[in-house]
Amino acid sequence: MGGGDAMETFLDDLRESNEFLNLLLDNINSAVLIIDEEFRIHQFNGVFHELFDRASNRIVQKTFGDVTGCVNAVIENKPCGETSKCSNCILRRSLVETMARQVPADNLWLERVFYINGEPVEKYFEFSTRHVIFKGRKMVLVIIYDVTEIEKQRMELERKQSLLETDMSAAAGIQQSLLPECSPDIDPVQVAWRFEPCQQIGGDIFNIHSADEKHISLYMLDVCGHGVPAALISVSVSQFLQSSRIKGGDCFLAVSSPEDILNDLNEAFPFERFDNFFSIVFLTIDFRRNRLIYSSAGHPCPILLGGDGRLESLGRHGPVIGLHDGRPFTRAERELEKGDRLVLYTDGILDTENSRGDRYGKARFYEALQRYSRDGIQRFVDSVYADSKIFGESRPPEDDISLMAVDYHT
């Protein structure tokens, strides 16, 4: 049976043909039958018989719809070809087209309910048709491949994928809800940020707290990996940092130094328990003393942009949380001057790639920070972010991109 040419195939009785042909027809996975112009079945193989569970003496000379229990014939109690749905039946249209024009059809799709043993069963078929001469008459050979189980598995996978996407969307919403909603109303500082999640939810979280009238605390963290596990850890850390733990009647974040925060986190989030680790930088600004106190656990170093344009990497480091060797974290301090600008970021911005596979990298990032350093803080953040996006040709990021800047005015 060839391709698209109008070539007639002459057949004798399928069940009286040679032994090899019978063996072939009854052992292939497809149902094979021969139908005349009135949709009456003249021959069939064993697979067709098993597919619709009908006795062989009830099949020959009966119509396809009657034999298979087509839902339209059963519900309307009309013969195949006379129901209100028959004119739209793709199998019938294909049969008529093949019979009239002797043009074969390949891999057409049929989705329908059939009554098998009196019970409605939804079936999914792929079928092909060929024009043949059978017992001296023009007929159509129909080959039906039952793909019901494959299709149900595909639909179940789609259902699970839809549920997963819904869960991922919900997790991403929770993650973003923990980011700052607006710049806090704190006289000595102005804050701006940009956040772009990757295609999968990731593990970036950052925030700023007005601890009291004397201090503000800010942090940025990045959980290793992507997906729900990383997001859950980032949410857990955020809740830990925003918990209502009280020491001496004061806010925990206000009276605890950055290194104490990191030591507590390392104790609360061991690798053995969470099977993951994360980097974090935690900073406190003391308005009374114009001091910055900070500690870092494996996180990209904060950047200090001075009012005179100088750029300084604040490089006090410790191991990431979860893989710490148990030695206490330490802190660093430095004086802040009016006009200083602090920049926190995650490595997602550095890892931005263009179509050639080149990374945005630290050198380009630092150059952009200095180029836009005299801009207002929100324009500064937006411009640096846009610079990385232009370099990356606006492609979706492979990792979350977090960028936060703090201007110090007092």
Side-chain angles (χ1 to χ4, degrees):
M1 300 172 207
D5 54 346
M7 182 177 67
E8 294 184 344
T9 304
F10 291 81
L11 297 176
D12 293 322
D13 193 310
L14 291 182
R15 295 202 172 275
E16 294 178 358
S17 57
N18 62 66
E19 183 179 351
F20 174 77
L21 182 57
N22 277 320
L23 184 66
L24 178 64
L25 290 172
D26 285 334
N27 285 277
I28 62 176
N29 292 327
S30 301
V32 180
L33 61 152
I34 293 179
I35 299 178
D36 65 19
E37 68 278 3
E38 296 180 356
F39 238 45
R40 289 193 300 265
I41 298 172
H42 287 255
Q43 288 292 315
F44 59 92
N45 69 344
V47 176
F48 178 78
H49 180 232
E50 295 170 1
L51 183 59
F52 295 102
D53 200 22
R54 295 290 197 270
S56 59
N57 59 359
R58 296 180 56 197
I59 294 181
V60 175
Q61 296 299 318
K62 286 184 174 289
T63 62
F64 178 85
D66 297 330
V67 169
T68 60
C70 173
V71 62
N72 302 320
V74 172
I75 290 177
E76 297 186 18
N77 194 25
K78 292 182 179 180
C80 183
E82 298 182 14
T83 77
S84 61
K85 307 292 185 181
C86 286
S87 60
N88 295 321
C89 175
I90 187 172
L91 180 59
R92 178 171 288 275
R93 291 204 307 267
S94 176
L95 169 72
V96 171
E97 183 76 6
T98 301
M99 182 76 74
R101 300 178 55 193
Q102 301 180 19
V103 176
D106 288 305
N107 302 321
L108 300 180
W109 183 259
L110 178 65
E111 175 185 346
R112 187 165 301 170
V113 172
F114 296 94
Y115 279 81
I116 301 175
N117 289 331
E119 297 293 331
V121 180
E122 190 168 22
K123 287 288 189 180
Y124 301 89
F125 296 144
E126 283 186 357
F127 70 92
S128 301
T129 61
R130 293 292 187 275
H131 183 271
V132 298
I133 300 298
F134 180 69
K135 292 184 177 180
R137 294 180 56 186
K138 291 183 177 181
M139 297 193 187
V140 176
L141 175 71
V142 184
I143 303 170
I144 300 174
Y145 181 54
D146 184 7
V147 294
T148 301
E149 291 305 314
I150 296 174
E151 182 64 13
K152 286 182 177 179
Q153 290 174 11
R154 184 192 66 79
M155 290 190 295
E156 178 63 14
L157 286 175
E158 285 187 349
R159 186 188 70 82
K160 291 180 178 179
Q161 179 65 26
S162 177
L163 289 174
L164 178 60
E165 289 175 357
T166 299
D167 290 344
M168 295 280 275
S169 177
I174 293 172
Q175 179 188 13
Q176 293 202 43
S177 72
L178 297 174
L179 301 177
E181 292 184 5
C182 58
S183 180
D185 184 17
I186 305 171
D187 288 337
V189 298
Q190 281 186 298
V191 186
W193 59 83
R194 288 296 298 261
F195 172 72
E196 182 183 6
C198 63
Q199 291 175 304
Q200 303 181 60
I201 59 173
D204 281 15
I205 288 285
F206 56 88
N207 218 321
I208 180 167
H209 295 277
S210 178
D212 56 30
E213 68 279 3
K214 305 170 185 175
H215 307 83
I216 64 165
S217 295
L218 54 150
Y219 65 87
M220 181 171 288
L221 68 95
D222 184 3
V223 180
C224 178
H226 306 291
V228 173
L232 288 176
I233 293 175
S234 67
V235 169
S236 297
V237 176
S238 176
Q239 291 176 332
F240 179 90
L241 293 173
Q242 297 183 64
S243 65
S244 57
R245 296 174 61 182
I246 301 296
K247 288 186 178 181
D250 293 318
C251 173
F252 173 61
L253 293 179
V255 300
S256 297
S257 63
E259 72 271 23
D260 289 338
I261 298 288
L262 267 55
N263 287 323
D264 285 350
L265 284 171
N266 193 62
E267 182 179 345
F269 294 88
F271 183 85
E272 295 77 12
R273 179 182 176 189
F274 293 92
D275 198 29
N276 208 336
F277 56 89
F278 60 90
S279 68
I280 182 171
V281 59
F282 195 98
L283 306 90
T284 296
I285 298 176
D286 184 337
F287 302 144
R288 295 173 306 173
R289 300 188 298 135
N290 295 325
R291 300 292 290 177
L292 172 69
I293 307 100
Y294 63 95
S295 187
S296 176
H299 199 83
C301 298
I303 304 299
L304 178 62
L305 290 169
D308 57 2
R310 74 187 188 281
L311 184 151
E312 180 183 350
S313 176
L314 305 181
R316 178 60 61 92
H317 253 289
V320 294
I321 301 297
L323 298 180
H324 197 282
D325 58 8
R327 287 178 293 178
F329 284 94
T330 59
R331 70 177 181 179
E333 293 190 32
R334 62 160 299 116
E335 185 176 358
L336 287 178
E337 298 178 358
K338 184 177 181 178
D340 282 349
R341 175 172 288 171
L342 289 166
V343 179
L344 307 183
Y345 64 97
T346 57
D347 55 12
I349 194 168
L350 304 183
D351 292 337
T352 299
E353 289 188 358
N354 59 23
S355 58
R356 298 183 300 276
D358 300 326
R359 290 176 68 250
Y360 185 61
K362 189 175 291 186
R364 291 185 182 89
F365 179 58
Y366 283 8
E367 191 277 331
L369 293 178
Q370 290 187 301
R371 188 190 326 148
Y372 301 112
S373 62
R374 295 190 179 277
D375 290 348
I377 188 166
Q378 188 62 61
R379 184 174 179 181
F380 165 78
V381 169
D382 291 342
S383 297
V384 174
Y385 169 79
D387 190 74
S388 71
K389 295 300 291 182
I390 292 170
F391 175 84
E393 300 161 359
S394 297
R395 300 194 306 170
E398 297 295 324
D399 195 4
D400 289 350
I401 293 177
S402 298
L403 178 65
M404 180 166 64
V406 180
D407 276 359
Y408 189 65
H409 297 299
T410 189

